[in-house]
Amino acid sequence: QQQVKQSPQSLIVQKGGISIINCAYENTAFDYFPWYQQFPGKGPALLIAIRPDVSEKKEGRFTISFNKSAKQFSLHIMDSQPGDSATYFCAASMRGTGNQFYFGTGTSLTVIP
Amino acid sequence: NAGVTQTPKFRILKIGQSMTLQCTQDMNHNYMYWYRQDPGMGLKLIYYSVGAGITDKGEVPNGYNVSRSTTEDFPLRLELAAPSQTSVYFCASSYATGVGTNEKLFFGSGTQLSVL
């Protein structure tokens, strides 16, 4: 059973455009929602994260939007660049579970010059 | 700091063979994890450890074993390798300050394993 559902599986965006990746979860005990970025041949690296007490978090061109009532969160990449081409994973975790993270299935983003 | 170091980077096993994937971290992190990554499936937690001498199962532990004798090392053992264990394996670590504190994961660069 997939605890965190992610879409789309792949995404192609023109340089300068907005990339949007969506995730949904069912378990209301989740209280931490990170996004990881992975380049080919590398391990994932934390990009940005949010807790459910805020509806939005922005870091540079990357923004997480969080909708607690809908149990959804999304990653927006503004002014997308070819260097943003990577696989993106959303994840969720909850208190008291040994810091276990449940990952989405990943989105392969390609930004065309 | 080297961060999280995994060896080997690539390995081919025959069905029924066994091997150990090595993982070491130099950040003095208390938590360590093993994930496997399969195409279209994301990352699935195999085992994790909250400190030396303490390990616990994740989502997909069958066919694997772990040990944590030191803070730095967290090897993953595959016994009787099967084609279903063909995957990319990632070791990760984090520093958690207590119950309810979620910290970021630091990943190694992965081990690509094929079982033929």
Side-chain angles (χ1 to χ4, degrees):
Chain A
Q1 182 184 1
Q2 194 69 30
Q3 295 263 6
V4 180
K5 297 182 179 178
Q6 183 173 347
S7 63
Q9 184 175 354
S10 62
L11 183 61
I12 300 174
V13 174
Q14 293 277 357
K15 178 182 175 181
I18 302 174
S19 303
I20 301 175
I21 304 170
N22 301 299
C23 284
Y25 63 97
E26 286 297 325
N27 192 336
T28 55
F30 286 141
D31 64 351
Y32 181 66
F33 302 89
W35 284 90
Y36 281 79
Q37 179 187 55
Q38 183 181 29
F39 293 105
K42 303 292 185 182
L46 181 66
L47 184 64
I48 187 172
I50 197 169
R51 295 192 182 275
D53 53 345
V54 296
S55 60
E56 184 176 282
K57 184 173 182 180
K58 184 176 181 179
E59 291 184 1
R61 296 184 294 107
F62 301 91
T63 300
I64 299 178
S65 296
F66 187 82
N67 187 328
K68 188 174 182 178
S69 60
K71 292 184 285 187
Q72 296 175 348
F73 59 110
S74 59
L75 176 69
H76 296 237
I77 305 175
M78 311 300 288
D79 186 25
S80 298
Q81 300 296 313
D84 297 330
S85 297
T87 300
Y88 294 81
F89 293 96
C90 61
S93 69
M94 68 184 86
R95 298 172 190 270
T97 59
N99 215 32
Q100 291 190 58
F101 287 83
Y102 296 90
F103 284 84
T105 51
T107 296
S108 176
L109 171 65
T110 301
V111 181
I112 301 172
Chain B
N1 283 352
V4 179
T5 302
Q6 290 184 238
T7 56
K9 291 190 181 299
F10 304 94
R11 184 72 184 269
I12 298 175
L13 282 181
K14 294 182 178 179
I15 295 172
Q17 287 184 321
S18 60
M19 75 163 293
T20 299
L21 280 66
Q22 301 292 344
C23 176
T24 188
Q25 52 93 7
D26 62 358
M27 297 174 283
N28 201 32
H29 285 171
N30 48 353
Y31 282 58
M32 295 188 74
Y33 315 79
W34 275 104
Y35 286 89
R36 59 176 289 171
Q37 183 178 28
D38 301 299
M41 298 295 291
L43 293 113
K44 298 291 187 183
L45 182 64
I46 304 171
Y47 271 95
Y48 68 99
S49 169
V50 302
I54 306 170
T55 62
D56 208 347
K57 297 177 181 178
E59 294 179 83
V60 291
N62 292 344
Y64 307 94
N65 279 300
V66 294
S67 60
R68 182 102 181 266
S69 57
T70 67
T71 299
E72 295 79 18
D73 300 307
F74 190 42
L76 177 71
R77 178 82 176 164
L78 279 72
E79 304 282 2
L80 298 174
S84 61
Q85 293 179 305
T86 293
S87 187
V88 180
Y89 292 84
F90 287 100
C91 179
S93 70
S94 69
Y95 184 72
T97 57
V99 173
T101 303
N102 297 309
E103 300 292 338
K104 79 179 210 181
L105 297 174
F106 292 80
F107 283 87
S109 57
T111 295
Q112 188 169 327
L113 176 67
S114 296
V115 182
L116 305 175

